[in-house]
């Protein structure tokens, strides 16, 4: 081994440019500055929307007399975004990311306006569905922009910036949304966000048109859309929607839509994810599988942390939420660590370490079910878990782009996002079913008390966290299979 990094192997130290202006630029260098600020602003907007709208949603549902349909406001976004991810991947691979990105931002804004001006809950849900189409188009198109506009050495840094852009909205979003909802009304949260679209569009679109527009190979004939994948995308969206409906209905008759949902979902997932994903084949399939394992186990566990702290340890809702707030900063720090060039040769080890940290954090959280364990243990454990997630999520994105040919970046990015979203839904559904089966569904009605709640159900919480920790440990093994065999 020489002192030179893998990207410097063909440049001797004496050949390095003496002029600092000729040195390689970073993501904020002259060439990439406008693009970087623009696309990070887009992610910042999506992050702010996710945190702000979630805060205003209960008030909107109550005023529109749609509490019974509340869950569908979330599932409508998810099901349409799954279809849009596949469509965006094909669109970007064939025509470039500019068109799906601009269309997605327009649909995202239109959905917010439709929900913000809705007079009934059904119109509100329709707006969320339109918004999901836009979100699915945007997220995949952004990955294609990164694969085309940034050299490989800069991709970890721009993905780290994406992670950092979630930190401020995760803290400011709920506070700002709560203040606007209280003083101006929930509608202003929805209709006000589209105004913020103008700035990132003005910065990013000219740079994308210059650096990443058009097909990957302008000389090659443009293939038609893969109609089979479009049909599979419709199947995966409809199947996920039926499963969510069955899970919310909870009657014997719900077994019928659940069976139809599974029948649609299984072949669609096998057709849309890389071959060998389900058996952790080396390389790209394991990258896609790991993304789902990491996101699903973490989100499923995190969803139950505030409820456990409120019902079992008597914390207020605000304090329970703040116990997880530090995780936003450590997540960004983990993403920053993986972005350092010197870490690139050790990426597989970083990801394995990250999954071990996630598993340890999830397994540590239920220890506070013992009143003798201080509640600040949750905050410390979750800070380490988020640090691990920052390394894992950003690294899987980097590896996906590294293992994808330019003309396949959109399709593979869509597969990564599908794995992420489906794992969230499936593991949340499993965790919720186990939690309810052990009597946990009744803890929400218990008044919070200092210390352990009388008549609580600690076993129900433990039955969620411990299996999710095991799932995360499986992810640590999958992380050893991210690179193909050499030779």
């Amino acid at each position: 081994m020489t002192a030179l990094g893998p990207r410097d192997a063909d440049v001797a130290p004496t050949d390095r440019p003496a002029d600092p202006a000729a040195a390689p630029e970073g993501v904020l260098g002259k060439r990439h500055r406008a693009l970087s600020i623009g696309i990070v602003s887009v992610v910042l907007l999506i992050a702010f929307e996710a945190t702000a709208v979630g805060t205003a949603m209960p008030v909107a549902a109550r005023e529109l007399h749609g509490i019974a349909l509340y869950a569908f406001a979330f599932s409508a976004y998810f099901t349409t975004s799954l279809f849009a991810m596949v469509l965006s991947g094909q669109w970007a691979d064939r025509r470039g990311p500019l068109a799906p990105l601009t269309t997605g931002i327009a649909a995202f804004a239109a959905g917010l306006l439709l929900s913000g001006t809705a007079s009934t809950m059904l119109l509100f849900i329709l707006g969320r569905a339109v918004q999901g189409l836009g979100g699915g188009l945007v997220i995949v198109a952004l990955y294609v922009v990164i694969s085309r506009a940034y050299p490989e050495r800069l991709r970890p840094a721009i993905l780290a910036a994406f992670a950092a852009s979630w930190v401020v909205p995760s803290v400011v979003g709920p506070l700002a949304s709560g203040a606007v909802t209280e003083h101006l009304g929930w509608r202003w949260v929805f209709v006000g966000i589209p105004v913020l679209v103008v700035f990132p569009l003005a910065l990013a679109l000219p740079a994308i048109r210059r650096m990443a527009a058009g097909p990957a190979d302008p000389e090659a004939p443009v293939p038609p859309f893969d109609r089979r994948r479009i049909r599979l995308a419709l199947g995966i969206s409809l199947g996920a929607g039926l499963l969510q409906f069955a899970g919310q209905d909870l009657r014997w008759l719900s077994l019928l839509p659940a069976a139809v949902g599974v029948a649609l979902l299984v072949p669609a997932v096998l057709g849309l994810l890389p071959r060998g994903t389900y058996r952790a084949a080396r390389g790209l399939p394991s990258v896609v599988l790991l993304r789902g394992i990491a996101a699903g186990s973490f989100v499923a566990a995190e969803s139950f942390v505030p409820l456990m702290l409120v019902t079992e340890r008597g914390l207020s809702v605000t304090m329970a939420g703040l116990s997880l707030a530090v995780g936003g900063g450590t997540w960004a720090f983990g993403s920053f660590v993986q972005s350092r060039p010197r870490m690139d040769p050790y990426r597989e080890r970083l990801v394995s370490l990250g999954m071990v940290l996630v598993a340890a954090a999830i397994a540590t959280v239920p220890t506070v079910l013992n009143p003798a364990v201080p509640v600040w243990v949750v905050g410390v454990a979750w800070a380490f878990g988020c640090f691990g997630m920052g390394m894992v999520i950003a690294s899987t994105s980097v590896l996906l782009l590294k293992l994808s040919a330019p003309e396949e970046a959109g399709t593979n990015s869509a597969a990564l996002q599908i794995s992420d979203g489906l794992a969230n839904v499936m593991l949340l559904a499993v965790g919720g079913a186990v939690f309810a089966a052990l009597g946990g569904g009744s803890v929400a009605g218990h008044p919070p008390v200092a210390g352990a709640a009388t008549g609580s159900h600690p076993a129900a919480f433990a039955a969620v966290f411990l299996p999710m920790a095991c799932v995360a440990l499986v992810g640590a093994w999958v992380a050893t299979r991210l690179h193909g065999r050499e030779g």
Side-chain angles (χ1 to χ4, degrees):
M1 285 289 289
T2 66
L4 296 177
R7 297 186 185 88
D8 299 321
D10 57 343
V11 181
T14 55
D15 295 331
R16 297 182 185 274
D19 182 6
E25 293 185 338
V27 294
L28 292 178
K30 183 178 180 180
R31 174 176 170 79
H32 294 95
R33 185 181 301 131
L35 178 62
S36 297
I37 295 175
I39 62 176
V40 169
S41 298
V42 170
V43 176
L44 188 69
L45 172 67
I46 293 174
F48 183 77
E49 180 276 336
T51 55
V53 167
T55 302
M57 196 86 76
V59 180
R62 185 177 65 246
E63 289 193 10
L64 293 174
H65 307 289
I67 295 296
L69 300 174
Y70 180 74
F72 290 99
F74 292 95
S75 60
Y77 182 100
F78 170 74
T79 53
T80 55
S81 66
L82 281 176
F83 171 75
M85 289 172 188
V86 178
L87 177 62
S88 182
Q90 292 208 27
W91 195 352
D93 283 342
R94 285 156 177 77
R95 300 291 183 180
L98 185 60
L101 181 62
T102 53
T103 304
I105 291 177
F108 193 80
L112 283 167
L113 291 174
L114 181 57
S115 292
T117 57
S119 57
T120 67
M121 191 62 179
L122 290 178
L123 284 176
F124 183 88
I125 292 172
L126 177 61
R128 291 288 292 167
V130 174
Q131 194 183 339
L133 286 172
L137 289 171
V138 167
I139 190 63
V140 173
L142 284 177
Y143 274 84
V144 179
V145 169
I146 293 173
S147 72
R148 296 192 183 185
Y150 292 87
E152 189 177 322
R153 65 179 181 85
L154 292 182
R155 292 173 189 169
I158 191 63
L159 289 168
F162 279 13
S165 65
W166 278 82
V167 176
V168 174
S170 66
V171 177
V172 176
L175 298 177
S177 176
V180 171
T181 301
E182 182 178 350
H183 296 290
L184 298 177
W186 65 267
R187 295 183 185 276
W188 285 100
V189 176
F190 287 84
V191 302
I193 292 177
V195 178
L196 304 177
V197 172
V198 177
F199 174 73
L201 282 181
L203 275 177
L205 293 187
I208 294 173
R209 186 177 293 110
R210 183 178 69 252
M211 303 171 66
D217 185 358
E219 303 298 327
V222 179
F225 278 87
D226 188 338
R227 294 182 180 180
R228 174 179 173 273
R229 292 186 68 84
I230 297 297
R231 289 195 297 270
L232 290 175
L234 287 171
I236 202 171
S237 296
L238 183 58
L242 287 172
L243 282 177
Q244 290 176 80
F245 172 79
Q248 292 158 12
D249 195 29
L250 293 179
R251 293 183 300 170
W252 283 109
L253 289 176
S254 301
L255 292 176
L256 179 59
V260 175
V262 171
L264 289 170
L265 199 60
V266 171
V269 170
L270 293 178
L272 291 173
L273 300 187
R275 182 173 297 180
T277 299
Y278 71 94
R279 56 182 175 85
R282 287 188 175 273
L284 184 64
S286 285
V287 172
V288 172
L289 177 63
L290 178 63
R291 179 60 165 261
I293 289 175
S297 60
F298 184 84
V299 170
E302 186 180 48
S303 300
F304 287 89
V305 172
L307 181 63
M308 180 187 68
L309 293 178
V310 170
T311 60
E312 303 299 310
R313 296 301 300 264
L315 268 66
S316 67
V317 174
T318 301
M319 289 303 298
L322 288 176
S323 67
L324 305 180
V326 69
T330 57
W331 187 307
F333 183 61
S335 188
F336 169 79
V337 167
Q338 66 79 38
S339 72
R340 299 296 85 196
R342 68 182 64 181
M343 294 295 181
D344 195 61
Y346 311 106
R347 188 167 300 280
E348 187 174 286
R349 296 181 185 178
L350 281 178
V351 175
S352 295
L353 173 62
M355 290 308 303
V356 170
L357 289 175
V358 171
I362 296 174
T364 301
V365 164
T367 61
V368 301
L369 292 168
N370 182 348
V373 178
V375 293
W376 55 257
V377 168
V378 171
V380 174
W382 219 244
F384 280 98
C386 287
F387 176 75
M389 284 294 288
M391 293 193 294
V392 172
I393 297 299
S395 289
T396 53
S397 301
V398 170
L399 289 169
L400 178 109
L401 296 177
K402 184 176 182 179
L403 295 171
S404 300
E407 66 275 8
E408 296 176 344
T411 298
N412 291 340
S413 297
L416 190 76
Q417 298 301 323
I418 288 171
S419 177
D420 188 316
L422 278 178
N424 286 345
V425 171
M426 297 306 173
L427 289 180
L428 268 171
V430 171
V434 173
F435 184 72
L438 292 177
S442 62
V443 299
H446 291 172
V449 295
T454 303
S456 61
H457 300 79
F461 287 103
V464 172
F465 292 117
L466 297 181
M468 295 307 160
C470 294
V471 172
L473 280 179
V474 173
W477 170 75
V478 174
T480 65
R481 304 176 62 80
L482 300 182
H483 294 291
R485 299 182 185 275
E486 297 182 2

